[in-house]
Amino acid sequence: MATPKNSKQTAPAEPAVPAEPAVPAEPAVPASIGNGFPGKLFSYAPAPESPAAAGDIASSYGHFIGGEFTESAGKEALKTVNPATEQVLAEFAQGTEEDVDRAVKAARDAFPGWAALPGSERAKYLFRIARIIQERSRELAVLESIDNGKPIRETRDVDLPLVAAHFFYYAGWADKLEYAGFGPSPRPLGVAAQVIPWNFPLLMLAWKIAPALATGNTVVLKPAETTPLTALRFAEIVRQAGLPKGVVNIVTGDGRTGAALTAHPDVAKVAFTGSTEVGRSIARSLAGSRKKLSLELGGKAANIVFDDAPIDQAVEGIVNGIFFNQGHVCCAGSRLLVQESVQDEVLDALKRRMATLRVGDPLDKNTDVGAINSAAQLARIRELSDIGEAEGAERWSPACELPSSGYWFAPTVFTGVSQAHRIAREEVFGPVLSVLTFRTPAEAVEKANNTPYGLSAGIWTEKGSRILWMASRLRAGVVWSNTFNKFDPTSPFGGYKESGYGREGGRHGLEAYLDV
Ligand code: NAD
């Protein structure tokens, strides 16, 4: 686990040593793995990525409007901190209504020229952006880890390759829109207002900006207030690629800026990714307007393990499903539904595997679980976990020393969870897994669908027919079988029910930005 000693933030209050007799006190993994538990032969040496690779971080940032970095009309500045150390990284502007208005005007002015370009010309810019992202991927990966707290292994191997892939993919569509199935000459909408969350800052930016530009729209994007740095660095890439001024504008700030942007009368399209609560308020504010809206909201996915599943593989999928990106994943497999007959076997294997997870420095290439993104998110995870215990579920975390500064939460599993428990119903958005059991496939479907959300689900079984039977009954936008958290730009992503509407990714993702 994490190296620093004298932890003042500790794993949750329950005993750090596994309470259940089925789990050995010293997990039966090879000692040579050496992950900090007693009996180890050796530990991995620290393998830190250099923070200098992130390039220069300015002490303060304005907005990126009309191709230039500009001062805000207001005086208010916000700070972004490194969640692993609590050190302030930079100040950035709290966007005012005037700032938003300037950005929307710049995007409106740029729209006719951009929309009139042949698709093959727009594609060249997108390809150029994709290639620059690849060239600067180490810099962007390190910057993302520093600003967000996620492990460098993930930013380097997951986020950045997917960011580039989205730009490459939609570059390929730009000159083929008339063959995309939306009529012979699909038209762009105009200015797209795009508001994104903090859990995959650059990836969510790519999901929004790449299809919007490919289809001939111009954009004003607002990054989340805890993770603005990679969006601001992306603005430099936009300039490096020679994109016409005003086609991409970045305005920073908190929810007030987001609300001003989505409410602006001159935007034709609103694309929002974030919480269901804010999504609902945006939908209300847009009712009666002619703006096109897509919402990518929260989730409470079921990861369903049948008794015929390859257990070791399923355990890897469970771990990836809930501990990837500290569980800050809208489609996280936060509810494990395990068939009763293999419950003990799965839980024993899961706990052994959890004991090998390294929690700590996001810039260490050996880290599996990084820092929680903000103090506010940590407080929410703690609160819901405490409620889980108070409601009677049994809480377990591996022995785990957490760094003394920064925001940390040990990987946690709750057993004995009932469907009525709040940890089974509400999105924790952290490394917290709730375990429920089932006996029959029909019961698994019923429990999996018993949620206000419907973003994703996972099925683990060797029977192909069962996969198809389950998948056709699960009310979830994405259903993975014998894998989890796999993303691809060619594949549409989106939700049912309170997880939102509209699809991002794939051919479907074009529709959100076309007048069809
Ligand atoms: P959030 O809703 O608090 O914030 C998201 C963004 O909206 C931020 O940029 C924020 O500044 C802005 N915002 C806040 N209030 C606003 C308002 N009134 N009007 C306009 N914009 C406003 O959510 P969060 O805490 O940043 O992100 C976590 C949530 O996002 C989780 O619920 C998660 O499931 C969801 N999420 C969903 C997806 C998906 O694709 N479905 C992807 C990532 C995250």
Side-chain angles (χ1 to χ4, degrees):
M1 294 285 164
T3 37
K5 303 282 179 213
N6 307 324
S7 67
K8 73 177 180 219
Q9 292 196 20
T10 54
E14 81 290 340
V17 176
E20 285 135 3
V23 179
E26 287 182 26
V29 296
S32 59
I33 284 178
N35 65 342
F37 53 80
K40 68 186 178 186
L41 288 180
F42 63 86
S43 289
Y44 280 111
E49 176 59 275
S50 165
D56 291 338
I57 300 175
S59 56
S60 77
Y61 288 91
H63 309 298
F64 181 70
I65 297 176
E68 308 293 336
F69 283 97
T70 65
E71 301 263 314
S72 168
K75 296 265 176 290
E76 192 179 345
L78 306 176
K79 291 184 173 68
T80 181
V81 301
N82 179 339
T85 61
E86 298 176 56
Q87 277 169 352
V88 174
L89 294 166
E91 284 195 349
F92 60 97
Q94 164 64 31
T96 63
E97 283 187 17
E98 199 181 326
D99 297 334
V100 167
D101 193 50
R102 259 192 318 134
V104 173
K105 183 167 184 320
R108 259 179 80 92
D109 291 348
F111 174 64
W114 182 248
L117 276 185
S120 56
E121 289 302 311
R122 287 199 305 272
K124 285 182 192 169
Y125 288 105
L126 289 170
F127 279 125
R128 207 175 292 160
I129 289 172
R131 281 195 299 269
I132 296 171
I133 287 167
Q134 285 186 323
E135 281 160 20
R136 297 177 65 170
S137 71
R138 178 165 175 232
E139 166 198 346
L140 293 164
V142 174
L143 186 62
E144 193 82 299
S145 282
I146 290 174
D147 202 20
N148 173 281
K150 60 171 70 190
I152 185 72
R153 201 164 49 82
E154 292 179 6
T155 54
R156 184 194 61 194
D157 298 346
V158 182
D159 296 55
L160 262 298
L162 281 171
V163 170
H166 267 82
F167 279 98
F168 277 122
Y169 174 72
Y170 280 110
W173 268 118
D175 62 350
K176 302 174 194 68
L177 297 176
E178 58 269 44
Y179 309 108
F182 304 118
S185 53
R187 283 173 304 138
L189 297 165
V191 177
Q194 306 181 319
V195 178
I196 55 171
W198 44 262
N199 56 342
F200 292 91
L202 202 53
L203 184 57
M204 291 299 106
L205 174 150
W207 281 26
K208 298 268 178 294
I209 291 185
L213 297 196
T215 45
N217 300 273
T218 55
V219 308
V220 180
L221 177 132
K222 190 200 84 66
E225 54 270 39
T226 57
T227 52
L229 294 185
T230 45
L232 291 163
R233 192 64 59 88
F234 179 79
E236 287 177 19
I237 290 174
V238 160
R239 283 224 290 221
Q240 194 182 342
L243 199 70
K245 291 183 175 181
V247 171
V248 168
N249 304 276
I250 311 278
V251 177
T252 55
D254 61 17
R256 291 167 290 168
T257 312
L261 176 57
T262 55
H264 196 288
D266 290 340
V267 307
K269 155 79 188 175
V270 173
F272 173 77
T273 297
S275 61
T276 296
E277 188 190 348
V278 173
R280 216 180 261 136
S281 85
I282 292 175
R284 265 198 302 269
S285 75
L286 263 57
S289 79
R290 292 170 59 86
K291 292 175 192 169
K292 196 163 178 173
L293 174 65
S294 47
L295 297 173
E296 301 279 1
L297 309 175
K300 193 73 192 175
N303 205 357
I304 306 165
V305 179
F306 284 94
D307 58 5
D308 65 337
I311 299 297
D312 287 349
Q313 197 182 323
V315 164
E316 287 307 307
I318 296 164
V319 166
N320 174 35
I322 187 62
F323 302 123
F324 168 63
N325 202 35
Q326 296 70 248
H328 302 327
V329 184
C330 48
C331 50
S334 53
R335 286 183 300 151
L336 171 63
L337 297 188
V338 58
Q339 198 154 18
E340 215 174 79
S341 49
V342 287
Q343 177 187 196
D344 291 345
E345 189 185 347
V346 169
L347 285 177
D348 287 354
L350 175 64
K351 288 176 177 177
R352 276 199 302 277
R353 179 67 179 87
M354 283 171 66
T356 69
L357 291 173
R358 288 176 181 75
V359 185
D361 181 5
L363 285 187
D364 191 318
K365 293 164 197 160
N366 293 324
T367 292
D368 297 305
V369 180
I372 300 301
N373 178 253
S374 64
Q377 187 59 28
L378 179 60
R380 175 163 169 80
I381 297 168
R382 283 181 171 159
E383 185 194 349
L384 271 169
S385 298
D386 291 347
I387 289 170
E389 246 177 317
E391 287 186 340
E394 197 173 312
R395 176 175 177 165
W396 184 89
S397 293
C400 181
E401 275 183 68
L402 300 175
S404 56
S405 59
Y407 314 129
W408 306 94
F409 197 86
T412 298
V413 58
F414 278 98
T415 48
V417 178
S418 88
Q419 294 188 81
H421 284 158
R422 283 182 61 187
I423 46 167
R425 305 203 63 76
E426 294 178 29
E427 191 180 36
V428 180
F429 222 56
V432 178
L433 178 69
S434 295
V435 182
L436 298 99
T437 59
F438 67 92
R439 290 184 181 170
T440 64
E443 187 186 351
V445 169
E446 197 181 312
K447 285 187 169 168
N449 289 341
N450 183 12
T451 167
Y453 296 109
L455 196 54
S456 66
I459 308 164
W460 296 84
T461 173
E462 292 214 316
K463 288 195 181 68
S465 58
R466 181 179 281 162
I467 292 170
L468 297 174
W469 189 91
M470 293 288 295
S472 63
R473 286 162 178 77
L474 290 170
R475 301 293 293 161
V478 181
V479 179
W480 287 291
S481 61
N482 294 327
T483 188
F484 208 91
N485 272 343
K486 285 277 183 288
F487 307 99
D488 191 294
T490 65
S491 170
F493 185 91
Y496 283 100
K497 302 191 281 186
E498 292 191 13
S499 291
Y501 44 78
R503 294 291 178 265
E504 290 186 316
R507 184 186 66 83
H508 302 67
L510 296 166
E511 187 183 356
Y513 292 95
L514 289 172
D515 188 5
V516 294

